[in-house]
Amino acid sequence: MKQSSSVEELAAQLRNELNRYSPGGKLPSSRALVERFRVSPVTVSRALAQLAAEGLVVTRPGAGAFRARPRTPLTRTGDTSWQEVALSADGAADLVPRTVDASGVTICLAAPPPGVIEFNGGYPHPSLQPEKAMAAALSRAGRRPGAWGRPPLDGLPELREWFARGIGDTVTAADVLISAGGQSALTTALRALAPPGAPVLVESPTYPGMLAIARAAGLRPVPVPVDADGVRPALLADAFRATGARVFVCQPLFQNPTGAVLSADRRPDVLRIAREAGAFVVEDDFVRRLAHDDAGPLPRPLAADDPDGVVVHVSSLTKATSPSLRVGALAARGPVLERLRAIQVVDTFFVPRPLQEAALELVGSPAWARHLRRLSGELRARRAAMTAGLALRLPGLALPHIPVGGYHLWLRLPEGADETRLHTAALRAGVAFTPGRPYFSAEPPAAHLRLSFAAVAGTEEIAEGLRRLRTACDEVFGGPGAAETVRQAPAGL
């Protein structure tokens, strides 16, 4: 059993037994708990720390653990109705009102209720994370001289160099800033490149977290359609001309949510069109390390073929490791780099040095290459299991593109389908997916859903999740077999 599971179980048992002790009463010693529950002293210590954090026990060094005395609840209820006026007036003078709406992001971040299969997850399941390698890296990092001191504002030079090498030989460590993950880097980039009220071109569909960043900054997302070969250059040029935008945000590799890869013939067109418009391209290279083992050679980042400083490149370690290893990078050339640096310093000062040191230890260890190889094979197996299961159980859902990288599939629902109703029915059936609507900055062409195959425990859970999704489809589309026979819309991204 994993230690984290043992800690949870011991904490639950102790929590249930607290009523045996009067408030202020002493609990058994750590040694007694070790012998009684046959767990390690570390497990006992962590379980007691968890109960202390919950306010249920109080630990006193040298004395032991005691049941906490009940706190008197605050009974006075204030009047917060004034905040409605203050918050609504905040953006009254803005050309484009700032909207802080995290709903499209939290649907991917929030864990579903117990027993619900997580097809909506945006991060690898713990079984796919390099937990032992990360723990060892963090332990080694903590012993490095100066590991708990103040890091350079731009990030550790060795880590900046590592990210630069991953982008291409045209990028140096001097072009790189270490960020607190990809979301933070995107926030910095949009704040640096576009003033409030400005239009920003985005792929359609696109990552809801980026749309949330843009709207929170008072920017106006303008959609540019994506097909199986990525963004369509002619429509991108039209959008630049029509809006006067100076920023285009894209994911050229395994785009979220479609999984599309920007084709070789479109790559130079995108850079040329942006350069002619006097605009920046923000390249969100978020899953380069999640290519499947049948992907073949990957195209270089756009930033590697950009001598003129058009591209602001964003990458991160998070997707390939853990949601809590929030270490990423911004890369840019020219005067914009100083603006990016200034905004990042004002917002966050710097990324904590122990986290940077741990990331450097991890990517420099032999375990890193082994982890990436294992992850690549596991993702391909899960993708194959999900696509085969969809063909068997839900052939009425259109799967226009099967990606060879990333962690999800993008499906188009039958014509006229209500994705909100299906989402509710799926939760009742015990499976969670991500509705398609939050991925569109304007009216969507059809109803969609996104299914993640990385956040579940394995292929058996994928099969069970699809069985439950079939139950929900039968409920919404009108009984057994209805999802197979309902009339299909054209299969497009």
Side-chain angles (χ1 to χ4, degrees), residues 103 125 165 210 221 262 329 397 421 431 448 460 483:
S103 58
H125 187 268
R165 288 198 307 270
M210 192 278 300
L262 185 63
L397 304 186
R421 186 180 168 207
V431 61
H448 292 80
E460 291 183 4

Side-chain angles (χ1 to χ4, degrees), residues 6 22 37 56 107 118 130 154 182 205 255 309 378 419 472:
S6 300
S22 59
F37 292 103
L56 299 177
I107 199 169
E118 192 174 356
D154 291 357
Q255 196 257 359
E378 286 284 342
E419 67 183 44

Side-chain angles (χ1 to χ4, degrees), residues 21-368:
Y21 308 95
S22 59
K26 186 176 181 181
L27 275 65
S29 68
S30 294
R31 179 177 297 179
L33 293 175
V34 166
E35 294 176 355
R36 177 185 168 193
F37 292 103
R38 299 182 182 278
V39 294
S40 71
V42 173
T43 298
V44 170
S45 176
R46 291 179 62 184
L48 291 174
Q50 181 170 322
L51 296 181
E54 295 172 9
L56 299 177
V57 303
V58 175
T59 57
R60 298 172 189 157
F66 302 81
R67 181 182 173 185
R69 299 184 184 278
R71 299 176 61 186
T72 303
L74 183 66
T75 56
R76 183 174 64 86
T77 302
D79 179 8
T80 60
S81 58
W82 65 272
Q83 294 184 6
E84 291 188 51
V85 178
L87 293 175
S88 62
D90 182 53
D94 294 344
L95 293 175
V96 179
R98 288 173 288 180
T99 305
V100 182
D101 180 5
S103 58
V105 182
T106 54
I107 199 169
C108 298
L109 294 178
V116 175
I117 291 176
E118 192 174 356
F119 281 169
N120 63 319
Y123 295 101
H125 187 268
S127 63
L128 296 179
Q129 297 174 19
E131 288 187 338
K132 289 184 179 180
M134 288 190 294
L138 190 60
S139 177
R140 293 193 302 270
R143 296 193 297 268
R144 284 186 169 199
W148 295 92
R150 182 177 58 194
L153 294 182
D154 291 357
L156 297 180
E158 303 92 335
L159 190 57
R160 293 163 60 204
E161 174 63 32
W162 184 85
F163 273 108
R165 288 198 307 270
I167 299 170
D169 53 11
T170 59
V171 178
T172 70
D175 303 320
V176 175
L177 306 174
I178 300 301
S179 68
Q183 186 77 356
S184 175
L186 287 172
T187 301
T188 297
L190 287 185
R191 286 190 59 197
L193 301 177
V200 56
L201 305 187
V202 300
E203 294 172 313
S204 182
T206 193
Y207 166 52
M210 192 278 300
L211 294 177
I213 292 169
R215 289 167 177 150
L219 305 178
R220 179 164 54 90
V222 178
V224 184
V226 170
D227 62 21
D229 291 321
V231 69
R232 297 166 60 181
L235 296 181
L236 178 65
D238 289 344
F240 272 125
R241 282 192 295 269
T243 65
R246 291 294 178 265
V247 182
F248 169 51
V249 186
C250 65
Q251 295 174 326
L253 186 66
F254 308 132
Q255 196 257 359
N256 184 8
T258 66
V261 176
L262 185 63
S263 64
D265 59 329
R266 291 186 182 183
R267 289 167 57 88
D269 288 342
V270 168
L271 293 178
R272 174 185 54 78
I273 290 166
R275 189 164 53 246
E276 290 174 354
F280 290 97
V281 173
V282 178
E283 178 185 26
D284 183 11
D285 200 17
F286 73 116
V287 285
R288 179 166 294 273
R289 298 172 185 89
L290 267 63
H292 305 170
D293 63 8
D294 58 347
L298 299 181
R300 290 164 23 124
L302 290 179
D305 299 319
D306 166 43
D308 302 324
V310 171
V311 178
V312 173
H313 180 89
V314 173
S315 60
S316 172
L317 285 172
T318 305
K319 290 294 186 186
T321 55
S322 159
S324 290
L325 189 61
R326 305 208 65 78
V327 175
L330 274 164
R333 297 189 189 90
V336 71
L337 183 62
E338 183 54 41
R339 184 179 292 189
L340 291 166
R341 178 185 292 113
I343 289 176
Q344 179 163 286
V345 169
V346 168
D347 282 353
T348 62
F349 286 7
F350 45 75
V351 177
R353 182 162 189 155
L355 205 56
Q356 293 191 54
E357 297 277 11
L360 195 56
E361 286 280 357
L362 176 65
V363 301
S365 70
W368 177 241

Side-chain angles (χ1 to χ4, degrees), residues 425-452:
L427 288 175
R428 283 197 301 269
V431 61
F433 66 79
T434 310
R437 182 62 185 91
Y439 291 84
F440 293 92
S441 61
E443 291 77 11
H448 292 80
L449 61 86
R450 196 192 77 162
L451 298 181
S452 169

